[in-house]
Amino acid sequence: AMAVADDPDAVHGPLELLMTIDEETGLTGAMDLDGSLIKGRIMINLDTEEDGQVYIGCAGGADSTAELSISRRTALIGSVPLKMTVRGLKGGHSGVDIHENRGNAIKITVRTLLAALEKELELDLISIDGGSKHNAIPREAFAVFRLPGASVPVMREIIDTKLAGFKEELGSMDPDLEIVLEQLEDGENLEKPMNIHARDRLLHALNGIPHGVLAMSREVPGLVETSNNLAVVNTEETRAVVITSHRSSVMPSLFAVQSQVRSICVLAGATVEVHDAYPGWKPNPDSPIVKTMVEVYREQFGKEPELKAIHAGLECGLLLEKVPDMDIVSIGPEIRNPHSPDERVQISSVQRFYEAVKGVLAKLA
């Protein structure tokens, strides 16, 4: 936006440049925007991650944060501290990539620990931590626990069995999954595991919270309608904090998932804070700015772009709430593996994206 405003070769009428903050961490900039500041009524949203795609709609979303109190006790005599690490998963964006059924490191960790308890191992859980962002699929997770020394070989066998099952489930989507068990040097910070009741409440809540696609759209073929992301778990001395991210293009369905997650957490004895939802953006393929964008793509690139509604969240729905008569379209360059350490942009697509922006501005001038 700043480049085209400063480009002497760009043809355009009066421009307003709207820069918002915290789009990736809660859309707070758009939420707190005073709509009366905006004078224009045509918006080109520069937040699309697929070259040659024109976004005309998106899902709404909300987050929930559950807090579960933890009581602790003295470790069993003769037990040894261990750390189990789940790693090697792709992770990714909880909207864009959720339909691929990528592995969730928190879920894999919990299922492995529950398998050990089903084998009646005396597993004293100290902590479980995984995920880093509300809108990213967790790619790593860590569990620290104690076991009687004689049970460590059995735990390794359980891990090997579960790993083989997970690899069968995930197939070629996450071929690099690893579950690593290592013994830790004992210390004061490892001598106070959770009591059994707290351990079981936490693990069963994490196991029960849904993750992945929950419904597909009945109107738009191939579009995920509703999903849930078990995003983050952090363990502290006296509490565990769990963050989940809910998305849907149908707001009643979004609130239903939010309520379901809340019920699961409340049954486990947790308190739940429900954060404000942001609205979806209903597709309008007959919008004038969409038609102009299609015309520009046809002229510049010799083909029409694909019009698409996405399951990820954009600020467009929020901005339409504040300026209801705004006509919006969204485009951008090719971005691969968003919200992961492998995120990157395809440089050649940036030039095409920029030329498309200039082209549509010239049409509107």
Side-chain angles (χ1 to χ4, degrees):
M2 294 177 69
V4 79
D6 193 49
D7 187 342
D9 296 326
V11 178
H12 57 77
L15 295 178
E16 285 182 310
L17 307 186
L18 176 61
M19 316 290 184
T20 58
I21 63 168
D22 294 338
E23 192 273 340
E24 297 291 0
T25 56
L27 303 171
T28 55
M31 282 185 177
D32 294 335
L33 177 70
D34 180 357
S36 67
L37 297 173
I38 302 174
K39 305 306 178 185
R41 289 299 181 265
I42 299 173
M43 188 177 87
I44 305 172
N45 184 56
L46 308 181
D47 185 20
T48 292
E49 297 168 351
E50 295 176 279
D51 183 29
Q53 310 274 337
V54 172
Y55 289 178
I56 63 171
C58 71
D63 294 339
S64 296
T65 301
E67 183 176 317
L68 184 68
S69 60
I70 291 174
S71 53
R72 297 183 179 271
R73 61 179 176 82
T74 303
L76 295 174
I77 297 174
S79 64
V80 297
L82 302 160
K83 180 179 181 180
M84 185 178 75
T85 300
V86 173
R87 64 192 186 198
L89 296 169
K90 289 182 179 177
H93 191 293
S94 63
V96 174
D97 300 316
I98 199 74
H99 67 287
E100 293 187 346
N101 294 319
R102 297 183 181 187
N104 181 315
I106 297 173
K107 283 290 190 180
I108 289 171
T109 300
V110 169
R111 289 173 60 186
T112 305
L113 295 176
L114 287 175
L117 294 177
E118 289 168 5
K119 293 291 186 180
E120 300 185 347
L121 296 190
E122 293 180 294
L123 188 150
D124 276 345
L125 183 62
I126 297 169
S127 64
I128 177 170
D129 298 277
S132 59
K133 297 182 181 69
H134 74 108
N135 54 4
I137 301 168
R139 65 200 306 267
E140 293 183 338
F142 313 90
V144 178
F145 52 90
R146 302 185 72 99
L147 282 176
S151 298
V152 175
V154 180
M155 186 68 198
R156 294 191 185 279
E157 292 177 2
I158 291 170
I159 288 173
D160 289 342
T161 300
K162 294 299 293 183
L163 179 59
F166 293 136
K167 283 184 172 288
E168 184 176 356
E169 286 181 30
L170 298 172
S172 60
M173 181 54 62
D174 272 307
D176 299 323
L177 169 63
E178 293 180 297
I179 306 178
V180 179
L181 186 68
E182 57 182 313
Q183 186 166 332
L184 301 176
E185 184 176 346
D186 216 339
E188 185 176 344
N189 62 322
L190 301 174
E191 294 176 354
K192 292 287 185 180
M194 303 176 193
N195 68 28
I196 292 174
H197 185 52
R199 176 200 69 189
D200 290 351
R201 286 187 297 128
L202 176 58
L203 291 180
H204 286 294
L206 292 171
N207 194 45
I209 293 172
H211 174 81
V213 175
L214 302 179
M216 299 297 292
S217 172
R218 297 162 180 82
E219 282 74 37
V220 183
L223 176 66
V224 176
E225 179 185 280
T226 306
S227 72
N228 194 66
N229 180 41
L230 174 57
V232 179
V233 58
N234 289 130
T235 308
E236 301 173 8
E237 181 67 25
T238 60
R239 66 172 189 164
V241 177
V242 179
I243 300 174
T244 54
S245 177
H246 334 288
R247 298 180 189 267
S248 184
S249 51
V250 179
M251 294 308 285
S253 297
L254 173 70
F255 297 135
V257 175
Q258 196 173 47
S259 177
Q260 179 186 357
V261 171
R262 182 180 184 278
S263 293
I264 291 168
C265 294
V266 168
L267 285 171
T271 58
V272 182
E273 179 183 1
V274 175
H275 303 285
D276 290 340
Y278 60 86
W281 170 27
K282 186 176 180 180
N284 178 17
D286 295 323
S287 134
I289 187 59
V290 169
K291 290 184 176 181
T292 301
M293 187 65 71
V294 170
E295 183 181 349
V296 167
Y297 268 75
R298 189 187 303 120
E299 291 175 357
Q300 289 193 355
F301 309 120
K303 60 181 181 180
E304 293 195 1
E306 179 182 354
L307 302 184
K308 190 173 182 179
I310 60 167
H311 189 57
L314 300 173
E315 293 175 319
C316 304
L318 275 169
L319 295 172
L320 276 172
E321 270 196 337
K322 297 175 182 295
V323 189
D325 56 342
M326 183 76 77
D327 192 15
I328 303 180
V329 71
S330 184
I331 62 171
E334 182 78 14
I335 297 177
R336 309 278 177 84
N337 301 309
H339 298 177
S340 81
D342 300 321
E343 181 172 339
R344 61 193 188 278
V345 64
Q346 186 182 59
I347 295 173
S348 61
S349 71
V350 176
Q351 183 65 34
R352 291 190 292 273
F353 159 58
Y354 185 64
E355 292 302 324
V357 172
K358 288 174 60 177
V360 76
L361 289 177
K363 291 275 186 184
L364 298 172

